[in-house]
Amino acid sequence: MPSSNSYVSPIAYKDNNPMVAIRVKGLGGEAELEAYVDSGAGISLIPKTIARKLRLKPAGEISVITGKGKAALKLFKSTLNFLGRDFELIIAGQDLPEQSPIKALLGRDVMDKFKVCFNGRKKELEFME
């Protein structure tokens, strides 16, 4: 059994999706977002409009393959807070379609710091250090 310091109580899915709260900090302030936990995403992603509002420092571009083909995403240096821990990361900025219920992604850049259990039967997530 994990010690109480290394285990987070299950986080329930929201609207049938694995969603978690994240906080992104920049020179222009901070923003709290709901992020889809995406084990297929190598890096976390937030809306580009929020990255600019927070005045995150640009860090280049990355080319990715999506369901719509190849796309170039802007990268930004940021501090991302998840489960009370700050992570200094390079994250992607991309405004997702207005009709999409998902606006941000929590990628493996953060997930790989934990042991993550997707419990689809119970519709909940568990994060362990």
Side-chain angles (χ1 to χ4, degrees):
M1 178 97 181
S3 73
S4 61
N5 290 340
S6 64
Y7 175 76
V8 173
S9 293
I11 300 169
Y13 283 23
K14 182 176 180 182
D15 297 327
N16 234 12
N17 288 307
M19 304 291 287
V20 295
I22 62 171
R23 183 173 293 278
V24 181
K25 304 173 188 177
L27 295 173
E30 53 187 62
E32 188 163 324
L33 302 162
E34 279 193 327
Y36 182 86
V37 181
D38 187 349
S39 62
I43 63 173
S44 297
L45 178 143
I46 66 169
K48 190 168 31 177
T49 52
I50 290 178
R52 289 184 174 143
K53 179 180 175 185
L54 296 177
R55 297 186 1 236
L56 299 181
K57 185 176 179 184
E61 285 189 0
I62 187 171
S63 188
V64 297
I65 303 296
T66 71
K68 293 174 77 173
K70 193 173 182 180
L73 302 180
K74 300 286 186 190
L75 297 175
F76 299 90
K77 291 183 181 182
S78 74
T79 301
L80 187 147
N81 182 282
F82 176 61
L83 297 177
R85 291 180 51 192
D86 283 343
F87 300 98
E88 300 297 322
L89 301 171
I90 302 293
I91 61 175
Q94 177 68 36
D95 293 320
L96 298 175
E98 188 65 36
Q99 64 272 25
S100 173
I102 296 166
K103 302 298 180 200
L105 301 176
L106 183 77
R108 288 191 328 274
D109 52 350
V110 175
M111 291 171 43
D112 286 351
K113 313 250 190 279
F114 300 90
K115 178 180 176 184
V116 181
C117 176
F118 288 80
N119 188 334
R121 289 183 183 157
K122 291 185 176 180
K123 303 287 188 218
E124 59 188 26
L125 297 160
E126 294 177 357
F127 292 85
M128 295 152 273
E129 292 187 344

